Amino acid sequence: MPFEYNFTITLFSRNVLTRLRDLMVYRVGFGTHAVTIGRILLLIWMAGAVSGVFWYAGKYIYFMHVIRKCPGYYKCNVDAVIGRINRNYRKSKEFEVLLVSGIQTPAIFGLLHPKILMPEVDYLEKEIYYILCHEMLHYYRHDLIVKVLCELLCIIYWWNPVVFLLRKLLSRVLELRVDFLLTVDFSNEEKIDYMECIIKSMKAGGRKNTNLVIPFAILKRGIMKQRFNCIWENHWIIKGKKGILIVISSCLLFLISVSFVVEPWYEVDIPNTFDCPGQDDSYLLEKDGYYEIYVENEKVGEVSEITEPLIGLKIYNKENFPNEK
């Protein structure tokens, strides 16, 4: 979190950050058209982020245009299946189920008016139940909102590869959570049926998918192996001392991340400065439009007007300047 708090401790870097800061303020160009390297990089960052917004918005509009032309999914009574799922989870949201030839695997799309997109695959009725339940749980757990926020983070920090790693891991976590909610009370036979449905979607699909939707199955061996292990062996929740250790470690890491900030170190000599003069050994000598400051009868500076902390010092001019001074 890019904020400094009252308890934040500043650590100074005398080499790396100092040299980096010198590079950022180095000016390139000619005359009045010279700009700092930091300003150039900032403009490139902003241009990339704005381009990402327009690219994502254009992709969203195009995808909306495509699915508006898609027919409804009528391979079974999907309205009855949706009603059954809503009763099981005590929900009442309406979902539109569409047959989309351009997608490889079932997916959900839309924040306000959710649409479940089905590919041209011959699913059994129980498989359709699993798919609809899976996608509806994504919606009810607000995973679409999380995905949009993650995409916004990727657009803003497009230059940072870590955010794309975050997006990849977040997608995996969302799938594991929905699998848990759906299969936690399944029998072994139901788990087998559910995993066979996932495999069927994988075989029918490909590696391509859009970041606008949350797909039912992605053809990546590591992700699917992890999902199947969790589904079959119920490896969902880390219990005991290991789980407590992970929670404590996560909290400590977050606390450390906001408790320290590293900044470049500079030694700067500020000219024409002196200690605050005292009224006993200091005075002002009025000149033509300005004042000279004297401390122990030695001139230490000049000011054009009397402000703090000079208010209260004696003021002399040529007429009232005492001889002993």
Side-chain angles (χ1 to χ4, degrees):
M1 299 179 65
F3 302 102
E4 292 189 29
Y5 302 91
N6 293 333
F7 55 84
T8 301
I9 300 174
T10 299
L11 302 177
F12 291 101
S13 170
R14 295 177 180 267
N15 294 313
V16 178
L17 287 187
T18 301
R19 294 176 181 177
L20 181 61
R21 191 262 178 188
D22 290 339
L23 177 63
M24 292 296 103
V25 298
Y26 182 79
R27 301 178 70 86
V28 295
F30 301 96
T32 58
H33 299 288
V35 294
T36 63
I37 293 179
R39 179 65 62 85
I40 294 174
L41 293 178
L42 180 62
L43 292 175
I44 293 174
W45 181 358
M46 294 175 61
V50 172
S51 299
V53 170
F54 280 103
W55 179 85
Y56 192 86
K59 195 174 181 180
Y60 181 90
I61 294 172
Y62 174 77
F63 195 72
M64 281 288 298
H65 177 72
V66 171
I67 64 175
R68 281 197 187 114
K69 299 180 179 179
C70 296
Y73 189 79
Y74 297 115
K75 292 193 175 181
C76 74
N77 190 352
V78 292
D79 291 335
V81 177
I82 291 174
R84 174 187 167 191
I85 296 171
N86 277 332
R87 287 192 296 272
N88 290 342
Y89 293 101
R90 298 179 181 179
K91 303 290 184 179
S92 59
K93 185 68 178 181
E94 295 182 357
F95 293 82
E96 186 177 4
V97 184
L98 302 175
L99 179 64
V100 184
S101 58
I103 65 172
Q104 293 81 27
T105 181
I108 188 167
F109 172 79
L111 295 176
L112 300 178
H113 305 287
K115 298 174 176 57
I116 299 176
L117 315 178
M118 299 290 290
E120 294 179 328
V121 179
D122 189 17
Y123 289 110
L124 301 177
E125 187 171 347
K126 63 179 179 180
E127 293 172 336
I128 294 175
Y129 170 81
Y130 292 144
I131 292 171
L132 296 183
C133 189
H134 180 99
E135 302 303 336
M136 290 169 65
L137 281 173
H138 272 306
Y139 183 84
Y140 286 137
R141 301 301 297 183
H142 309 294
D143 290 348
L144 287 169
I145 297 177
V146 173
K147 190 172 182 64
V148 170
L149 293 177
C150 186
E151 290 299 321
L152 180 61
L153 196 66
C154 290
I155 290 174
I156 295 175
Y157 294 100
W158 57 267
W159 49 268
N160 191 343
V162 176
V163 296
F164 297 98
L165 176 61
L166 172 65
R167 180 172 68 183
K168 177 181 177 181
L169 295 177
L170 182 63
S171 297
R172 183 178 300 189
V173 170
L174 295 180
E175 290 303 321
L176 291 174
R177 182 174 66 167
V178 167
D179 286 341
F180 161 69
L181 295 172
L182 182 57
T183 65
V184 64
D185 295 323
F186 274 14
S187 63
N188 288 341
E189 182 179 353
E190 290 173 320
K191 290 179 180 179
I192 292 173
D193 291 338
Y194 180 69
M195 289 187 290
E196 286 180 345
C197 181
I198 295 176
I199 294 173
K200 187 174 183 179
S201 297
M202 289 175 58
K203 290 181 178 179
R207 292 184 180 272
K208 287 186 176 181
N209 66 88
T210 173
N211 293 325
L212 300 172
V213 302
I214 299 181
F216 178 69
I218 302 175
L219 189 57
K220 291 185 179 180
R221 184 175 300 177
I223 297 177
M224 302 316 300
K225 182 178 179 181
Q226 185 180 20
R227 287 181 68 180
F228 289 170
N229 284 337
C230 290
I231 292 170
W232 185 250
E233 301 179 14
N234 286 328
H235 288 170
W236 303 107
I237 303 174
I238 301 175
K239 300 179 180 180
K241 296 181 179 179
K242 187 176 181 181
I244 296 175
L245 179 62
I246 290 177
V247 172
I248 294 176
S249 300
S250 300
C251 294
L252 287 176
L253 284 173
F254 176 76
L255 182 62
I256 291 173
S257 71
V258 298
S259 298
F260 300 94
V261 60
V262 183
E263 297 181 0
W265 170 268
Y266 284 93
E267 293 183 357
V268 181
D269 294 328
I270 303 177
N272 301 325
T273 61
F274 52 90
D275 295 333
C276 180
Q279 294 187 8
D280 296 333
D281 58 356
S282 305
Y283 60 91
L284 301 176
L285 182 59
E286 186 178 2
K287 295 290 184 176
D288 296 332
Y290 67 95
Y291 299 89
E292 293 179 347
I293 306 172
Y294 286 83
V295 177
E296 296 182 351
N297 291 330
E298 292 185 5
K299 181 181 175 180
V300 296
E302 299 176 354
V303 293
S304 59
E305 58 180 343
I306 302 174
T307 58
E308 290 288 349
L310 303 179
I311 297 176
L313 296 183
K314 294 180 180 180
I315 303 175
Y316 298 100
N317 53 37
K318 292 181 179 180
E319 287 74 18
N320 65 357
F321 192 78
N323 294 328
E324 62 269 19
K325 295 296 184 180

